[in-house]
Amino acid sequence: NYYEIGQELIASDFDYFAGGGLKKTTGADGDKTDLYQLAEEAGYKVIKTQAEAESLTAEDGNGINGTLAGLEKMYKMGIRLISITWNHENCLGYPNSFDPEKMALPLKPFGCEMIDAMNRMGIIADVSHLSDGGFWDVVKHSSKPFVASHSNARELCPVMRNLTDDMLRAVADKGGMVGLNYAADFLVDKTRYTYCADIARHARYMADKAGVDIVALGSDFDGIGGKLEMDDCSKLPLLAEALRKEGFTEDEVERIFYRNAQRFFEENL
């Protein structure tokens, strides 16, 4: 069971980081320093428990298996964000498509019920991969902010996985968030190489259309191919520099890198 394996891995890593492995460090003078205390004194919120640090996500609502009990089971497993669909139809709705008729398909009645249930339980809805009709149903039925965890601007790259200007504004109006996708073919039409400048260009466009507070990092490292200038998180400084060249301030770069997401999850989980 992949969910159980993931929970075990998270728990084992957390046992070191929050269970005391990094709580105290020895300085050059031999004194013990409490890093938690220093962070709190500097104004940072410190994560001290596994419940605070662990938040699993599911990329496809098919695991609900068409029942409220299925959703409750996912919640008990620690899942706090669910993509309504992946690339295939499921019990909740339909994926995006180049076929206009399929793209217009709405959420299924059960999908609308589950949006309401997710709102009540504290599970965030993710509209990346969802049909346009389904997206607007989430806007209509969700009383809580939602996300597009790995999508870009459709105006800059006409891929159906990306969001229109109206969609970007709708996410902002709901207090939601959009994670930038690093896939080359979601950034520039008909290319297989991802440059940080292209990611930054989408960030600039999204911020101009809907505000910088909706922009975050989505990556999709585990689901994309092609060649990436920034092929792992060690190269994030390249993206930071590209964002600066697009006119983002240092404060805005920090917001895109982590503060927008931090705020969103603190407010909605």
Side-chain angles (χ1 to χ4, degrees), residues 18-36:
L22 288 182
K23 183 175 181 181
K24 293 185 181 296
T25 186
T26 304
D29 56 2
D31 291 340
K32 295 287 185 179
T33 301
D34 189 325
L35 299 185
Y36 289 163

Side-chain angles (χ1 to χ4, degrees), residues 142-174:
S142 182
S143 61
K144 299 291 184 65
F146 61 90
V147 304
S149 63
H150 50 304
S151 297
N152 296 325
R154 198 179 298 178
E155 184 66 25
L156 296 185
C157 186
V159 174
M160 297 301 100
R161 280 274 285 96
N162 289 341
L163 303 181
T164 66
D165 292 358
D166 285 342
M167 289 175 169
L168 291 171
R169 285 188 281 265
V171 172
D173 289 343
K174 281 284 188 176

Side-chain angles (χ1 to χ4, degrees), residues 225-241:
K227 295 182 179 179
L228 292 85
E229 180 181 22
M230 183 178 65
D231 54 7
D232 62 47
C233 60
S234 70
K235 298 183 178 65
L236 278 169
L238 296 176
L239 179 56
E241 183 58 29

Side-chain angles (χ1 to χ4, degrees), residues 53-157:
E54 178 180 339
S55 182
L56 299 179
T57 67
E59 190 175 19
D60 194 343
N62 199 46
I64 293 172
N65 291 323
T67 67
L68 176 60
L71 180 65
E72 291 171 341
K73 180 179 179 181
M74 295 179 79
Y75 181 87
K76 290 176 181 177
M77 295 167 71
I79 292 171
R80 295 295 182 268
L81 183 150
I82 298 176
S83 298
I84 306 303
T85 63
W86 187 52
N87 291 329
H88 310 286
E89 176 186 349
N90 64 19
C91 60
L92 304 176
Y94 306 87
N96 51 66
S97 171
F98 282 103
D99 182 331
E101 291 187 3
K102 292 182 179 179
M103 194 60 155
L105 289 171
L107 288 180
K108 295 180 178 180
F110 178 72
C112 295
E113 292 177 22
M114 287 302 98
I115 293 297
D116 182 57
M118 290 165 69
N119 287 169
R120 294 196 312 269
M121 296 170 63
I123 299 176
I124 297 163
D126 180 3
V127 298
S128 285
H129 287 282
L130 188 59
S131 66
D132 284 3
F135 174 96
W136 290 112
D137 275 344
V138 172
V139 174
K140 177 181 178 181
H141 291 284
S142 182
S143 61
K144 299 291 184 65
F146 61 90
V147 304
S149 63
H150 50 304
S151 297
N152 296 325
R154 198 179 298 178
E155 184 66 25
L156 296 185
C157 186

Side-chain angles (χ1 to χ4, degrees), residues 32-60:
K32 295 287 185 179
T33 301
D34 189 325
L35 299 185
Y36 289 163
Q37 182 179 346
L38 289 178
E40 288 176 331
E41 289 174 353
Y44 291 97
K45 178 178 179 179
V46 176
I47 294 174
K48 296 182 179 179
T49 69
Q50 182 173 335
E52 289 181 289
E54 178 180 339
S55 182
L56 299 179
T57 67
E59 190 175 19
D60 194 343

